[in-house]
Amino acid sequence: MARFLIDYQICIMQKFPDFLVPGQKIGIVSPARKISKTEIEPALEEIKKRGFIPVLGKNIFSEFHQFAGTDNERTADFQDMLNNTEIKAILCARGGYGSVRIIERLDFSKFLKSPKWICGYSDITVFHSFMHQQFGCSTIHCTMPVHFGDPQYDAKSIDTLFDALTGRQIKYQWDSNPLNKNGKASGILVGGNLSILYSLRGTRMDLNTAGKILFFEDLDEYLYHIDRMVYNIRLGGMLDSVKAIVVGSLSDMKDNTIPYGKTAPEIVLEHTENLGVPVCFGAPAGHQKSNYAFILGAKVNLEVSSEKVNLGFQTFG
């Protein structure tokens, strides 16, 4: 039987893993697409510069077609990091595809006794949803090591990751979008990549969004597929009782020869504007230059006005 289908008897008593202090170890694994040593070297230097010790998975540079090694190799790396009590955070090196292929192979028994931060975005939404639904444990939606050396990315994205890991206060503000639905809301933030959330519907990782604030972003999708996915989460009840919706980047959208007729934000708005809750676009998170750290599972305060959007994270209680 797949391990994640077994009901764990141990419960995480702390909502947040311990925040990090300099001198502790940060693990790096690649649970999805393959990555090279050259791509990851800037991240190793950055982690050391911040006062932490990077530890690479034994198989991180393995290759099996598009993956960073076989399912067994990627599982072994992630399991080692989960079990090692000296590792205080696990950074996923990159996304791509493959996380769902290993999630059911992992044993979280030791993790539950000594929880740690799991960090990443895109395909790593598999882990975010799993950790929230199965254990109620917070994770960090954030930039990944593959981006650390890319000049196209905002250096502040890296700063916010380390702010989140070390427990610094996190508050973001960005310009309002004409499509926004103004208002205030407080609640637990959940979500991640829309395509991954859509792919997890009907599984044990399908998010319970009732009374929570839903965040999502996406990349490189056909506009009609955005409509299909948002239709799915609406018809499936995911939007029925949300307190607010925060939309990050909807980047590099594609259209057919016969245009769909709406932009991605307009498609989302069509499904959310009558919910009676705040809806905001343009959050600095996702597949874009600014990909700031969002602590999923944390309580947030959201204020959407005609001029600005303010999002503040409560990470202590």
Side-chain angles (χ1 to χ4, degrees):
M1 180 182 294
R3 288 175 177 171
F4 86 112
L5 295 179
I6 298 173
D7 290 327
Y8 286 91
Q9 299 300 312
I10 308 166
C11 293
I12 288 181
M13 302 306 295
Q14 57 187 110
K15 183 175 183 59
F16 299 98
D18 291 335
F19 293 112
L20 276 64
V21 296
Q24 292 182 323
K25 295 180 179 179
I26 295 176
I28 305 178
V29 295
S30 191
R33 187 170 293 175
K34 61 186 178 183
I35 193 166
S36 68
K37 185 177 180 180
T38 300
E39 289 176 295
I40 214 169
E41 282 177 345
L44 301 179
E45 293 304 313
E46 185 68 31
I47 291 169
K48 293 174 185 176
K49 187 175 75 174
R50 303 274 179 162
F52 300 97
I53 303 169
V55 179
L56 293 176
K58 295 176 182 178
N59 301 301
I60 192 168
F61 302 126
S62 296
E63 296 185 20
F64 182 73
H65 303 302
Q66 69 178 19
F67 302 110
T70 64
D71 291 348
N72 287 340
E73 288 174 322
R74 301 195 319 282
T75 300
D77 273 7
F78 213 103
Q79 191 67 63
D80 286 346
M81 296 299 179
L82 290 173
N83 292 349
N84 188 340
T85 56
E86 293 186 356
I87 300 295
K88 301 304 179 182
I90 302 173
L91 301 189
C92 297
R94 66 172 307 158
Y97 170 72
S99 297
V100 74
R101 295 183 59 87
I102 71 169
I103 190 70
E104 65 179 342
R105 297 164 175 257
L106 295 168
D107 183 344
F108 287 84
S109 298
K110 292 185 178 179
F111 169 88
L112 292 173
K113 296 177 182 178
S114 182
K116 60 198 70 181
W117 294 101
I118 295 177
C119 312
Y121 78 112
S122 194
D123 193 64
I124 310 307
T125 298
V126 170
F127 289 98
H128 296 315
S129 294
F130 177 84
M131 299 306 297
H132 185 78
Q133 284 303 112
Q134 294 294 302
F135 308 134
C137 185
S138 290
T139 57
I140 303 177
H141 182 283
C142 59
T143 189
M144 297 185 285
V146 70
H147 301 309
F148 278 35
D150 191 334
Q152 296 184 58
Y153 284 84
D154 183 354
K156 185 178 177 181
S157 299
I158 301 173
D159 292 339
T160 63
L161 167 57
F162 285 95
D163 286 346
L165 284 173
T166 55
R168 295 190 181 97
Q169 187 177 42
I170 298 176
K171 290 184 178 181
Y172 300 136
Q173 183 181 85
W174 64 93
D175 291 337
S176 187
N177 186 300
L179 298 178
N180 286 356
K181 305 296 290 184
N182 295 345
K184 297 180 181 180
S186 296
I188 301 299
L189 185 71
V190 296
N193 180 262
L194 178 61
S195 295
I196 302 300
L197 297 175
Y198 171 73
S199 74
L200 297 177
R201 300 304 314 278
T203 73
R204 290 280 292 272
M205 292 175 282
D206 194 354
L207 281 179
N208 176 3
T209 58
K212 299 170 185 174
I213 294 177
L214 176 61
F215 155 74
F216 60 82
E217 59 81 35
D218 218 324
L219 167 77
D220 194 29
E221 291 289 346
Y222 278 95
L223 292 170
Y224 80 89
H225 196 197
I226 295 293
D227 189 57
R228 173 191 287 161
M229 292 189 290
V230 183
Y231 247 118
N232 176 278
I233 66 174
R234 181 168 69 82
L235 294 175
M238 284 185 72
L239 305 184
D240 288 352
S241 302
V242 295
K243 288 191 172 182
I245 296 173
V246 177
V247 184
S249 62
L250 296 172
S251 308
D252 299 331
M253 293 291 117
K254 299 180 290 189
D255 207 349
N256 293 311
T257 303
I258 300 175
Y260 185 81
K262 291 184 178 181
T263 66
E266 288 170 341
I267 292 169
V268 173
L269 182 64
E270 180 183 12
H271 294 283
T272 59
E273 63 182 338
N274 295 320
L275 295 176
V277 301
V279 179
C280 63
F281 296 88
H287 293 79
Q288 61 179 4
K289 180 179 178 179
S290 296
N291 185 14
Y292 297 172
F294 279 18
I295 302 178
L296 301 178
K299 185 176 181 180
V300 298
N301 298 317
L302 175 71
E303 182 176 358
V304 184
S305 71
S306 57
E307 295 183 353
K308 298 288 183 181
V309 177
N310 289 285
L311 182 68
F313 288 75
Q314 299 179 25
T315 52
F316 299 95

